[in-house]
Amino acid sequence: MSVETHEAVHRHEPPTSFIRKYIFSLDHKVIGIQYILLALVAVIVGMAMSVLMRMNLSWPGTNWPILATLFPGGAPGGVINPEFYLSLVTMHGTIMVFFVLTTAPQGGFGNYFLPIQIGAEDMAFPVLNMLSFWVTLVGFIVILSAIFFSGSASTIGPIGGWTGYAPLSALGQIAGPGQGMGMNLWIISIAIFCVGSLLGALNFITTLLNMRTRGMSLMRMPLTCWAWFTTAVLALLSFPVLLGGGILLLLDRLAGTSFFIPGGLYVSGILSGTNPSFPVHTGGSPILWQHLFWFFGHPEVYIAILPGMGATSHILSTFARKPVFGYRAMVFAIFAIGLLGFFVWGHHMFISGMSPYSAMTFSILTLSIGVPSAVKTFNWLGTLWGARIRFTTPMLFAIGFVSLFVAGGITGLVLGQTSLDLPMHDTYFVLAHFHLVMGVASIFGMFAATYFWFPKMFGRMMSESLGKIHFWITFVGVYCIFVPMHVMGLVGMPRRYAQFTEYTFLTRLHPLVVFVSVVAIITVLTQFLFYFNLIWSIFKGKKAGANPWDATTLEWTTASPPPHDNFAGVLPVVYRGPYEFAVPGAPNDFVMQTEPETETERVGGNGHNGHRH
Amino acid sequence: MATTVTGTKPLTKTGFGGGSKSRGPNGNGSPKRNGHRDAFFDSRSAVNRYRIGMWVAMASILMLFTALSSAYIVRAASANDWQPLRMPRVLLLSTALIIFSSVTLEFARRKLKSGEQSAHKRLLVLTALLGLGFLGSQLFAWRGLARQGIYISSNPHSSFFYLLTATHGMHLLGGLAGLGFLMSRSRLSTDDELAAAKRQAQTDAVSLYWHFMDFLWIYLFLLLFLWRQQ
Ligand code: HEM
Ligand SMILES: [Cu+2]
């Protein structure tokens, strides 16, 4: 017990050298910001690529002189060629899914706020935490370099989509453009990313299990912590599978094995085994890659969205000034979604020729995820019901998250049915579905989180008026981009096509295609408002106190920004749940988690005990 | 309605650690101890992270090998190009070495507990040597196959053999690094109660990992040479 005082009051001073403090930092807050910066850079690259793709679709032949210099092979004379379009699709998807949606929500905000919200000084393994960021950064550099390679003298980059289906991805150079060095780098980058994420997940889980402060029982944790925890469990169990698949794929490409390459392939005019450039392959299974990929891939979409769900619950409650409706149900719903997420991967493979019985099983399991999802949605609505809402920017984005999650989720119920998915697979309908529910919804969750926690991270408020402009243009913008894509998909527009000019049945859609591109450009440009707001507010924003939003959880009990060891040497003690707003009989409309019980509470004089047990 | 929207914990509970009645493991000591204010910062609680972290890491490594095993099983069943390898005899030696190394490490762990520092250290060194012996014997098996002209791309079984042994070997290298770490610690004095507990926890974690590698090898060995030998 002598240790108690030793641990509780010892202040940890920050390192003094610049490198240890900001570059190779062990402080989870600095690492969190590093992750967020990585995502902020990656998302610019991803957005730029989406603009290039949209312009190519609506104004084929657009000339980009800069592309001619950067990618002489992919954009000769500055005009994007079809192969380069496919490589842009691949890079955009991979960068967005891995380096944006898997970094900022978990590695970024999770890293920064999970330890503070549970009352810990840091993560359980600070060195691993630092490594996980640096490994991820290396992965990012490798993926960026991938687009400058092709193998055959021209710069095209990897072609394979973010799913990298075999056998195309497994064959190597022989399979044509985009299958050379760029593809190797793509696989290597993903493998590196897996390792980084695993280190992070290990840290999150251990921290949450081991380092909660006194009184912080599991059921007193903010829902954000539950979401980060579940996300970490999903990452822990799904990334190794992708890593395994990636190793097999790389061996097929580089060591001549046949894990995914079937026998008797006839590629680029050469039969496998009849030419030294195409060694013999037998008996591999391309479907095996699909299973390994999607066993990871479906949990991955929850890895992207769960932190956003956590942040949304947290923010809705704070600005509705009401406790989260059905806290316990929310916790179980998060877990149910995570668990079910491991048994539905087959819904991405309905057209792979699987037996109708397995298809039906996957379909039923998929639809059953609708239940916990609906629990979450209704509980969010329940939280908002009858509330006197404070419409701040984070609140707007949180409400936007709910809206997008519902809008995208509904088409998920459509696609989850085998008979409907068969014709819709690989059309713009799917593209619209997953952009709404995974892409944009998660991004909205992160916007909400940024506006909400910025004052804690930098001690200043972000500009509300800029924030509101940013919200409304983005909100209307994303709907205008992705709702028409449903229509395109229903008409039959296939995904991953560089141009549609040759398809007469699609020419009627051209005005819609142009409309989407115009809105996309406007929406992308609006994001610079957000970047401006970020940078400007760091220096010029209104000063924020410790608790500018009248919120209740532990991060608001410490200074803004928090000291190096989060609580200046005195760990907080927790006495109550995370969302005590509008407590009957309390002097304020909110009660912090660290507020000890009053005498009245202890004797049960607040009028609503009794029937709760 | 007022009660239903108030989804938080009742305010009437007393004492620390209200919240749920049946309490989950929170690593701050045993459930019994959890929530009692004086025992809270018991030194064992903070060092428990090494054991927890190791269990978590093992779960993820297990998933990697599960993925590779399922690929193995699917691949073995899906085509008729499977040519079973004859088991290299030296693998029996590998197996014996790694089982023996688990035993020595277990003794090392006990010696640390009972405070016999030098015996502890000697057993650690012995374990590491046995581990190196295992890796050497695996390499020997590879060389034997290569001598017969069997390489990774020769046939599906050889592909998986090289892949699985290499993946396992890389993880075992991690275990050796862990042993090296423990040896570097064994010079430290253990007067400080917290430091001693920490070292014990780290030793527990490394030996957990090592036994896991042992178990994993036996599993892979059976998978490779019993699963499909027509
Ligand atoms: C400004 C917003 C965005 C626009 C305009 C946009 C546009 C596009 C376009 C044009 C495609 C290629 C369609 C095709 O030819 O098949 C695409 C694919 C894709 N996008 Fe986005 N995107 C945006 C944001 C995002 C975000 C935030 C994510 C994060 C998940 C994302 C993930 C993907 C993925 C995974 C693909 C599929 C890549 C593949 O087919 O392998 N996008 N997007
Ligand atoms: Cu899915």
Side-chain angles (χ1 to χ4, degrees), chain A residues 106-450:
Chain A
Q106 182 81 357
F109 288 102
N111 230 324
Y112 199 113
F113 287 104
L114 178 104
I116 307 189
Q117 285 192 334
I118 62 172
E121 288 177 332
D122 203 324
M123 282 281 190
F125 306 113
V127 177
L128 283 191
N129 202 18
M130 176 182 79
L131 276 180
S132 94
F133 170 75
W134 288 100
V135 169
T136 309
L137 182 69
V138 170
F140 184 58
I141 293 169
V142 174
I143 193 87
L144 282 189
S145 65
I147 198 167
F148 294 99
F149 284 93
S150 163
S152 57
S154 60
T155 47
I156 288 182
I159 296 180
W162 83 285
T163 51
Y165 272 13
L168 178 67
S169 59
L171 288 169
Q173 199 68 63
I174 182 87
Q179 303 305 324
M181 196 55 197
M183 198 68 200
N184 291 339
L185 290 175
W186 181 83
I187 301 170
I188 290 169
S189 156
I190 301 240
I192 296 174
F193 189 88
C194 289
V195 175
S197 297
L198 286 171
L199 295 177
L202 169 68
N203 226 334
F204 273 71
I205 295 173
T206 312
T207 305
L208 188 133
L209 291 179
N210 186 242
M211 300 185 61
R212 299 196 312 284
T213 190
R214 189 193 286 188
M216 180 58 86
S217 64
L218 288 171
M219 282 310 205
R220 280 179 178 175
M221 293 193 307
L223 285 172
T224 39
C225 294
W226 277 110
W228 287 318
F229 178 64
T230 315
T231 304
V233 173
L234 293 184
L236 186 87
L237 301 179
S238 68
F239 272 108
V241 178
L242 180 67
L243 182 59
I247 295 172
L248 297 181
L249 193 58
L250 212 55
L251 287 177
D252 270 2
R253 296 174 60 82
L254 301 178
T257 54
S258 309
F259 295 112
F260 303 128
I261 309 177
L265 272 191
Y266 189 72
V267 176
S268 307
I270 302 173
L271 182 65
S272 143
T274 60
N275 185 305
S277 68
F278 190 13
V280 64
H281 286 285
T282 54
S285 162
I287 301 287
L288 177 60
W289 166 258
Q290 294 192 19
H291 281 294
L292 293 174
F293 182 85
W294 287 115
F295 185 85
F296 147 81
H298 192 83
E300 165 64 25
V301 309
Y302 291 119
I303 292 173
I305 194 107
L306 285 181
M309 287 187 174
T312 296
S313 309
H314 199 74
I315 292 168
L316 285 184
S317 171
T318 305
F319 295 108
R321 311 309 294 165
K322 278 174 63 186
V324 160
F325 185 94
Y327 173 90
R328 207 167 262 273
M330 288 300 241
V331 172
F332 289 124
I334 295 178
F335 254 88
I337 290 177
L339 185 72
L340 281 172
F342 276 110
F343 300 100
V344 301
W345 78 92
H347 64 212
H348 298 275
M349 301 168 57
F350 285 147
I351 64 156
S352 71
M354 64 164 58
S355 117
Y357 297 107
S358 1
M360 196 173 76
T361 313
F362 279 124
S363 177
I364 292 172
L365 283 166
T366 302
L367 299 185
S368 67
I369 291 196
V371 176
S373 306
V375 167
K376 299 223 73 129
T377 309
F378 284 116
N379 284 359
W380 286 324
L381 297 181
T383 308
L384 293 176
W385 191 262
R388 263 177 292 122
I389 300 177
R390 296 184 186 169
F391 284 104
T392 58
T393 309
M395 184 60 165
L396 290 176
F397 274 104
I399 296 174
F401 175 96
V402 177
S403 148
L404 289 161
F405 181 69
V406 172
I410 287 189
T411 52
L413 295 179
V414 175
L415 291 168
Q417 308 183 44
T418 323
S419 50
L420 291 176
D421 183 66
L422 291 184
M424 287 177 182
H425 185 84
D426 263 341
T427 67
Y428 267 62
F429 193 86
V430 175
L431 200 72
H433 156 71
F434 77 70
H435 270 99
L436 282 183
V437 77
M438 165 176 81
V440 194
S442 314
I443 297 267
F444 266 52
M446 288 312 101
F447 280 143
T450 311

Side-chain angles (χ1 to χ4, degrees), chain A residues 20 44 47 113 139 148 150 245 305 348 478 537 589:
Chain A
R20 299 293 304 180
I44 289 187
M47 278 196 310
F113 287 104
F148 294 99
S150 163
I305 194 107
H348 298 275
V478 293
S537 305
D589 85 327

Side-chain angles (χ1 to χ4, degrees), chain B residues 168-184:
Chain B
H168 175 263
M170 304 250 282
H171 281 87
L172 199 85
L173 280 180
L176 283 173
L179 290 178
F181 175 78
L182 292 186
M183 288 178 216
S184 75

